[in-house]
PDB file of all heavy atoms in Angstrom:
ATOM      1  N   LEU A 123      44.784  14.350  10.140  1.00  0.00           N
ATOM      2  CA  LEU A 123      45.690  13.625  11.022  1.00  0.00           C
ATOM      3  C   LEU A 123      44.830  12.668  11.845  1.00  0.00           C
ATOM      4  O   LEU A 123      43.602  12.708  11.788  1.00  0.00           O
ATOM      5  CB  LEU A 123      46.439  14.589  11.934  1.00  0.00           C
ATOM      6  CG  LEU A 123      47.366  15.605  11.229  1.00  0.00           C
ATOM      7  CD1 LEU A 123      47.882  16.643  12.232  1.00  0.00           C
ATOM      8  CD2 LEU A 123      48.535  14.886  10.566  1.00  0.00           C
ATOM      9  N   ASP A 195      49.388   6.510  13.750  1.00  0.00           N
ATOM     10  CA  ASP A 195      50.149   7.733  13.433  1.00  0.00           C
ATOM     11  C   ASP A 195      51.337   7.414  12.527  1.00  0.00           C
ATOM     12  O   ASP A 195      51.618   8.131  11.560  1.00  0.00           O
ATOM     13  CB  ASP A 195      50.660   8.388  14.719  1.00  0.00           C
ATOM     14  CG  ASP A 195      49.587   9.171  15.457  1.00  0.00           C
ATOM     15  OD1 ASP A 195      48.632   9.626  14.815  1.00  0.00           O
ATOM     16  OD2 ASP A 195      49.712   9.330  16.695  1.00  0.00           O
ATOM     17  N   LEU A 198      50.175   6.657   9.021  1.00  0.00           N
ATOM     18  CA  LEU A 198      49.784   7.870   8.306  1.00  0.00           C
ATOM     19  C   LEU A 198      51.013   8.607   7.791  1.00  0.00           C
ATOM     20  O   LEU A 198      51.024   9.099   6.654  1.00  0.00           O
ATOM     21  CB  LEU A 198      48.962   8.788   9.214  1.00  0.00           C
ATOM     22  CG  LEU A 198      48.528  10.108   8.560  1.00  0.00           C
ATOM     23  CD1 LEU A 198      47.624   9.852   7.366  1.00  0.00           C
ATOM     24  CD2 LEU A 198      47.828  11.002   9.578  1.00  0.00           C
ATOM     25  N   GLU A 199      52.044   8.669   8.612  1.00  0.00           N
ATOM     26  CA  GLU A 199      53.292   9.321   8.172  1.00  0.00           C
ATOM     27  C   GLU A 199      53.866   8.594   6.954  1.00  0.00           C
ATOM     28  O   GLU A 199      54.340   9.230   6.003  1.00  0.00           O
ATOM     29  CB  GLU A 199      54.300   9.335   9.308  1.00  0.00           C
ATOM     30  CG  GLU A 199      55.576  10.082   8.966  1.00  0.00           C
ATOM     31  CD  GLU A 199      56.501  10.273  10.147  1.00  0.00           C
ATOM     32  OE1 GLU A 199      56.160   9.828  11.257  1.00  0.00           O
ATOM     33  OE2 GLU A 199      57.576  10.871   9.961  1.00  0.00           O
ATOM     34  N   GLN A 200      53.804   7.257   6.979  1.00  0.00           N
ATOM     35  CA  GLN A 200      54.283   6.493   5.829  1.00  0.00           C
ATOM     36  C   GLN A 200      53.458   6.813   4.581  1.00  0.00           C
ATOM     37  O   GLN A 200      53.997   6.958   3.477  1.00  0.00           O
ATOM     38  CB  GLN A 200      54.185   4.985   6.115  1.00  0.00           C
ATOM     39  CG  GLN A 200      55.168   4.471   7.146  1.00  0.00           C
ATOM     40  CD  GLN A 200      54.967   2.989   7.421  1.00  0.00           C
ATOM     41  OE1 GLN A 200      54.538   2.232   6.549  1.00  0.00           O
ATOM     42  NE2 GLN A 200      55.258   2.562   8.647  1.00  0.00           N
ATOM     43  N   ILE A 202      51.773   9.596   3.869  1.00  0.00           N
ATOM     44  CA  ILE A 202      52.042  10.944   3.360  1.00  0.00           C
ATOM     45  C   ILE A 202      53.428  11.026   2.735  1.00  0.00           C
ATOM     46  O   ILE A 202      53.623  11.661   1.695  1.00  0.00           O
ATOM     47  CB  ILE A 202      51.877  11.990   4.479  1.00  0.00           C
ATOM     48  CG1 ILE A 202      50.423  11.976   5.002  1.00  0.00           C
ATOM     49  CG2 ILE A 202      52.244  13.390   3.982  1.00  0.00           C
ATOM     50  CD1 ILE A 202      50.163  12.912   6.157  1.00  0.00           C
ATOM     51  N   ASP A 203      54.404  10.344   3.350  1.00  0.00           N
ATOM     52  CA  ASP A 203      55.750  10.335   2.770  1.00  0.00           C
ATOM     53  C   ASP A 203      55.751   9.666   1.401  1.00  0.00           C
ATOM     54  O   ASP A 203      56.526  10.055   0.509  1.00  0.00           O
ATOM     55  CB  ASP A 203      56.718   9.598   3.707  1.00  0.00           C
ATOM     56  CG  ASP A 203      57.069  10.413   4.943  1.00  0.00           C
ATOM     57  OD1 ASP A 203      56.788  11.623   4.951  1.00  0.00           O
ATOM     58  OD2 ASP A 203      57.626   9.829   5.891  1.00  0.00           O
ATOM     59  N   LYS A 210      51.558  16.951  -4.462  1.00  0.00           N
ATOM     60  CA  LYS A 210      51.575  17.681  -3.187  1.00  0.00           C
ATOM     61  C   LYS A 210      51.762  19.178  -3.440  1.00  0.00           C
ATOM     62  O   LYS A 210      52.859  19.714  -3.279  1.00  0.00           O
ATOM     63  CB  LYS A 210      52.703  17.165  -2.293  1.00  0.00           C
ATOM     64  CG  LYS A 210      52.480  15.795  -1.686  1.00  0.00           C
ATOM     65  CD  LYS A 210      53.665  15.426  -0.810  1.00  0.00           C
ATOM     66  CE  LYS A 210      53.539  14.057  -0.191  1.00  0.00           C
ATOM     67  NZ  LYS A 210      54.754  13.667   0.571  1.00  0.00           N
ATOM     68  N   GLU A 211      50.685  19.845  -3.844  1.00  0.00           N
ATOM     69  CA  GLU A 211      50.789  21.274  -4.070  1.00  0.00           C
ATOM     70  C   GLU A 211      50.986  22.014  -2.750  1.00  0.00           C
ATOM     71  O   GLU A 211      50.279  21.756  -1.783  1.00  0.00           O
ATOM     72  CB  GLU A 211      49.514  21.802  -4.737  1.00  0.00           C
ATOM     73  CG  GLU A 211      49.110  21.073  -5.994  1.00  0.00           C
ATOM     74  CD  GLU A 211      48.037  20.029  -5.716  1.00  0.00           C
ATOM     75  OE1 GLU A 211      47.942  19.598  -4.548  1.00  0.00           O
ATOM     76  OE2 GLU A 211      47.332  19.655  -6.663  1.00  0.00           O
ATOM     77  N   LEU A 217      46.174  18.717   2.620  1.00  0.00           N
ATOM     78  CA  LEU A 217      47.449  18.306   3.185  1.00  0.00           C
ATOM     79  C   LEU A 217      47.626  18.923   4.574  1.00  0.00           C
ATOM     80  O   LEU A 217      47.450  20.135   4.742  1.00  0.00           O
ATOM     81  CB  LEU A 217      48.579  18.780   2.263  1.00  0.00           C
ATOM     82  CG  LEU A 217      49.974  18.160   2.402  1.00  0.00           C
ATOM     83  CD1 LEU A 217      49.933  16.650   2.198  1.00  0.00           C
ATOM     84  CD2 LEU A 217      50.924  18.808   1.385  1.00  0.00           C
ATOM     85  N   PRO A 218      47.949  18.119   5.596  1.00  0.00           N
ATOM     86  CA  PRO A 218      48.157  18.671   6.937  1.00  0.00           C
ATOM     87  C   PRO A 218      49.233  19.756   6.944  1.00  0.00           C
ATOM     88  O   PRO A 218      50.191  19.702   6.164  1.00  0.00           O
ATOM     89  CB  PRO A 218      48.594  17.453   7.762  1.00  0.00           C
ATOM     90  CG  PRO A 218      47.972  16.292   7.060  1.00  0.00           C
ATOM     91  CD  PRO A 218      48.058  16.651   5.589  1.00  0.00           C
ATOM     92  N   ALA A 219      49.070  20.739   7.812  1.00  0.00           N
ATOM     93  CA  ALA A 219      49.992  21.870   7.858  1.00  0.00           C
ATOM     94  C   ALA A 219      51.436  21.425   8.080  1.00  0.00           C
ATOM     95  O   ALA A 219      52.368  22.010   7.513  1.00  0.00           O
ATOM     96  CB  ALA A 219      49.567  22.837   8.957  1.00  0.00           C
ATOM     97  N   ALA A 220      51.628  20.370   8.883  1.00  0.00           N
ATOM     98  CA  ALA A 220      52.988  19.893   9.169  1.00  0.00           C
ATOM     99  C   ALA A 220      53.680  19.355   7.913  1.00  0.00           C
ATOM    100  O   ALA A 220      54.903  19.197   7.907  1.00  0.00           O
ATOM    101  CB  ALA A 220      52.932  18.792  10.228  1.00  0.00           C
ATOM    102  N   TYR A 221      52.913  19.107   6.870  1.00  0.00           N
ATOM    103  CA  TYR A 221      53.476  18.578   5.624  1.00  0.00           C
ATOM    104  C   TYR A 221      53.378  19.597   4.486  1.00  0.00           C
ATOM    105  O   TYR A 221      53.442  19.236   3.322  1.00  0.00           O
ATOM    106  CB  TYR A 221      52.772  17.287   5.227  1.00  0.00           C
ATOM    107  CG  TYR A 221      53.002  16.171   6.227  1.00  0.00           C
ATOM    108  CD1 TYR A 221      52.158  16.001   7.309  1.00  0.00           C
ATOM    109  CD2 TYR A 221      54.072  15.284   6.090  1.00  0.00           C
ATOM    110  CE1 TYR A 221      52.369  14.988   8.240  1.00  0.00           C
ATOM    111  CE2 TYR A 221      54.294  14.274   7.011  1.00  0.00           C
ATOM    112  CZ  TYR A 221      53.431  14.124   8.082  1.00  0.00           C
ATOM    113  OH  TYR A 221      53.648  13.119   9.003  1.00  0.00           O
ATOM    114  N   GLY A 222      53.211  20.870   4.855  1.00  0.00           N
ATOM    115  CA  GLY A 222      53.194  21.930   3.861  1.00  0.00           C
ATOM    116  C   GLY A 222      51.831  22.322   3.335  1.00  0.00           C
ATOM    117  O   GLY A 222      51.730  23.137   2.420  1.00  0.00           O
ATOM    118  N   GLY A 223      50.771  21.771   3.915  1.00  0.00           N
ATOM    119  CA  GLY A 223      49.432  22.100   3.466  1.00  0.00           C
ATOM    120  C   GLY A 223      48.759  23.141   4.330  1.00  0.00           C
ATOM    121  O   GLY A 223      49.387  23.755   5.211  1.00  0.00           O
TER     122      GLY A 223
END
Side-chain angles (χ1 to χ4, degrees):
L123 297 171
D195 282 334
L198 178 62
E199 185 172 0
Q200 290 177 30
I202 298 177
D203 287 346
K210 287 181 182 175
E211 307 97 338
L217 197 59
Y221 295 89

